[in-house]
Amino acid sequence: MAKDAVGYALTALNRLAGSGLVDRMGMRRLMERMAYSLTKSGFRVITTTARAFQSSGKLGKAERLKAPGVTRELFDLNITDEQQMIRDSVQSFAEEVLRPRSEPADAEARTSDETRAAALELGLNFFAVPESLGGAATERSPVTTMLVAEDLAHGDMGQAVAILAPMSVANALTRWGNADQQSRYLPAFAEDQPPAASLAVAEPHVLFDPQQLRTTASKSGDQWVLDGEKALVPLAAEAELFLVAAQTPDGPGVFIVEGGTEGLTTSENPPMGVRAGGMRPLQLDSVQVPESNRLSAEDFDYREFVDLGTLAWCSLAVGTGQAVLDYVIPYVNEREAFGEPISHRQSVAFMVANIAMELESMRILTWRAVSRAEKGLPFHRETHLARTLVKDKAMQIGTDGVQLLGGHGYTHEYPVERWYRDMRAMGVMFGGLHL
Amino acid sequence: MNLEIPNKIKPLINNAHQVALSVFRPISRKYDRAEHEYPKELDTLSSVLDGMNEGDPDSGAGAAQTGKGRGKEDDGSVKNGANMTTCLGSLELAYGDVALLLSMPRQGLGNAAIAAVANDEQLERFGDKWAAMAITEPGTGSDSAAIRTTARDEGDHYVLNGEKIYVTSGARADCIVVWATLDPKMGRNAIKSFVVEWGTEGMELARLEKKLGIRASDTAAITFNECKVPKDNLLGDPEINPEKGFAGVMETFDNTRPLVACFALGCARASLERTQELLEESIEYDYDKPVDNASAVEAELYRMEAELEASYWLTVKSAWMADNRQPNSKEASICKAKSARVGNWITLRCVELAGSIGYNEDELLEKWSRDSKILDIFEGTQQIQQLIIARRLLGKSSKELK
Ligand SMILES: Cc1cc2nc3c(=O)[nH]c(=O)nc-3n(C[C@H](O)[C@H](O)[C@H](O)COP(=O)(O)OP(=O)(O)OC[C@H]3O[C@@H](n4cnc5c(N)ncnc54)[C@H](O)[C@@H]3O)c2cc1C
């Protein structure tokens, strides 16, 4: 029998009662800042109200970071000393903070405030904000961001997403924003309490293609009116700032939408993995934003905007793949069956060899695409190929990781089942992040 | 970080590409049909190539050019040297025809061994010769430590006895680098390599194989019967040294495996490009649609291209490591295993995608799909590469992980 109106109401009430979101926000904040409505699609909450972003008026024209000064002619896989220093600190953060917190963060579907505060200490946001706006960025650095993503995901992909999403918005504004957008929104990212922020590209329908958006933006006077639904938006409940992709009369565009804008709501629909990233649906119901909130600088390239997100996900998958490899090696050496370590059997050992081979394949294609992006060379083909390969291999590594641990791998006692769930994200994610 | 091929190598790549298109392709089918006939066109070509190599010794395209930058000072700067150029040059030639590339005079795998371990005097004597490599025997291939060919020490010379099979260019080369054991009881450390020149008494050509593919390349069986080889023809350390005997001879493979990977890449690229041409009218191929939104054939082409591209950069990486004197055994095996299996998959799938057109001799697709199979077998099979990779990752000996 189909569900009727009463059924829907009961379902919605049930969800509300069991919702971690409501508990976490607390009743007071709920009264003050949230409203909910009972609808067919369950209960929705208004997004977190944004602080007052005020233009610093600092910029006469948009900042654009240049490609790194030392352009090398020779093929070279070495990274710079500075990149190595950043990697060292990100790696120890990932190992000491993210990895131990990965299980509870997954269970709570949230990256804790303490973890996010600790991540701020790494100063990653500074690399996304130009010097003139209070940050430390002097040149374009997708390669560094890629390495950071890889290393964070080695600790935990979910928490990595929560940490990277705001930085991604800053990266995107630095790369694509006009002078006014940059001076209004970017300085906050270099402050002590930077806003949570996120990108919304994916949509909840099968065979989603980021070039064929169903969320629409239409012009009404000097406002853009956005309608539609986004899926898997990181930090959707807490973000103060969103970059939302929507179809305009002249093709796909991206709009700056502040949290708390009327008609902008989120709901609960917990994903299979990457849960600590706080990814939720984002509904846009006649959301109005000023004309000036569209990323429309002359050099805006929607394809590159999407590609830089895809490459961030590839980097995460590489990091998690490395985590699987590093985990299974000691495990298969220590675990014994039939009187010897299981690693003495070829079907076990070769699975490990294949993980290493395909992980290297994933990494080298990702590095290639990102290094081209950093140089200002075309990188769409390279991104397409990287995604095509990475999504398949990442999932193979995820599933082999569980297989190598047998029944133990299937339980929450071990991290491989989480990596299995996380790796599936690579095949469905568009947007959310930006190198 | 920079993942681009440097401009200084591009002229060499282009030259090799021209050779592939203008010299190899036109005679590709001819020598696939005329198995065991010597492709005389290669003589002219190899003198042209010699000219090119002399002009710039760093940018040769043959196996003899590999090695760890012998004799050059390491000033700590990044190098894109002989390993990379040789790889990329070979890839282009393989794009023309793998079998003809393997038949190129003086570019044999034996030349790579000589380049890697010969002393100055030996380089002087053998540097200009075409050298084939003979490890495999009827009783053993993958397990190269189990070879049975013996070398008896008789004062001023060694006496070789045994049978070698599957020697690439064995009949055409000037000399053969033969693996033999000084003492079968001493195990792998007693295995040494000897340069044996054709014409040496006791060395005989037993037969040439008829094969599935790479038919233009001849594959010889050679017997050694009380064959006297001068003492000075032993490559490397004549002592049985338990510390680093076998590891030493195996090191050559770190340089030659990326080369074989390049053969696979060239052959697969040829197939993929031709298939894309044939399918042009039937596909929309602009990297725009996510792979799952593309048609089945487009998705397959995207996957092939992605796999090929990954294999390519892994191979460039391992050559780059060799140029920069970084230990690269694992990476050399990774790129060989990956490129060879991807290459074989691509070439076979391309025949299938081209349908009946791909399955007959009007097109080279069917030939490439036969040629590609050997690349996942010689210089260490897929499984042997996986063993090498797995042992390194897991820290296992060959006794523990067999
Ligand atoms: C056209 C051609 C050219 C060649 N050129 C040369 C040359 O120039 N010089 C030369 O010395 N040799 C050459 N070879 C020989 C080639 O290197 C060997 O055929 C190859 O190393 C495999 O050895 P094998 O044929 O004895 O197979 P085997 O060693 O008998 O292997 C058979 C199968 O068992 C698998 N296998 C073996 N051991 C293991 C293990 N421990 N774990 C898992 N699987 C295993 C192998 O992967 C393979 O699939 C050539 C061969 C051909 C066909």
Side-chain angles (χ1 to χ4, degrees), chain B residues 11 43 55 67 78-79 82 129 143 147 184 186 228 258 265 278 281 295 323 331 396 401:
Chain B
D43 284 338
V78 173
K79 311 240 173 3
K129 299 224 153 109
D143 186 6
I147 55 166
M186 297 285 289
K228 277 192 196 171
L265 295 169
L278 291 170
E281 308 279 288
S295 72
D323 279 337
E331 287 74 12
K396 294 289 172 186
L401 180 54

Side-chain angles (χ1 to χ4, degrees), chain A residues 73 358 368 380 392-393, chain B residues 3 7 287 303 307 338:
Chain A
E73 144 74 4
E358 300 305 0
R368 158 99 172 139
H380 180 64
D392 290 359
K393 306 303 180 191
Chain B
L3 283 82
N7 287 323
Y287 309 97
R303 288 209 161 85
E307 291 280 15
K338 175 80 184 165

Side-chain angles (χ1 to χ4, degrees), chain A residues 346, chain B residues 133 135-136 141-142 166 168 211 214 374 378 381 383 387:
Chain A
Q346 285 192 353
Chain B
M133 187 88 191
I135 303 169
T136 308
S142 299
Y166 303 159
T168 296
K211 307 190 299 292
I214 58 160
I374 190 58
F378 66 19
T381 63
Q383 291 70 29
L387 269 180

Side-chain angles (χ1 to χ4, degrees), chain A residues 14-89:
Chain A
N14 235 355
R15 283 204 204 158
L16 177 58
S19 164
L21 194 57
V22 173
D23 292 343
R24 189 166 53 68
M25 293 291 206
M27 279 315 276
R28 193 184 57 81
R29 280 176 79 196
L30 186 72
M31 306 283 278
E32 281 175 11
R33 297 174 71 179
M34 299 167 65
Y36 58 89
S37 58
L38 215 50
T39 69
K40 197 174 160 203
S41 58
F43 100 101
R44 294 172 173 187
V45 295
I46 290 179
T47 51
T48 300
T49 305
R51 67 191 68 192
F53 288 104
Q54 259 151 20
S55 176
S56 59
K58 273 190 190 140
L59 295 180
K61 70 189 231 319
E63 275 281 0
R64 286 290 180 267
L65 301 176
K66 302 234 164 14
V70 271
T71 39
R72 294 169 199 82
E73 144 74 4
L74 294 182
F75 176 91
D76 187 8
L77 292 175
N78 291 313
I79 59 175
T80 65
D81 292 344
E82 196 197 1
Q83 286 167 334
Q84 190 56 54
M85 274 164 54
I86 295 170
R87 286 199 87 161
D88 290 344
S89 59

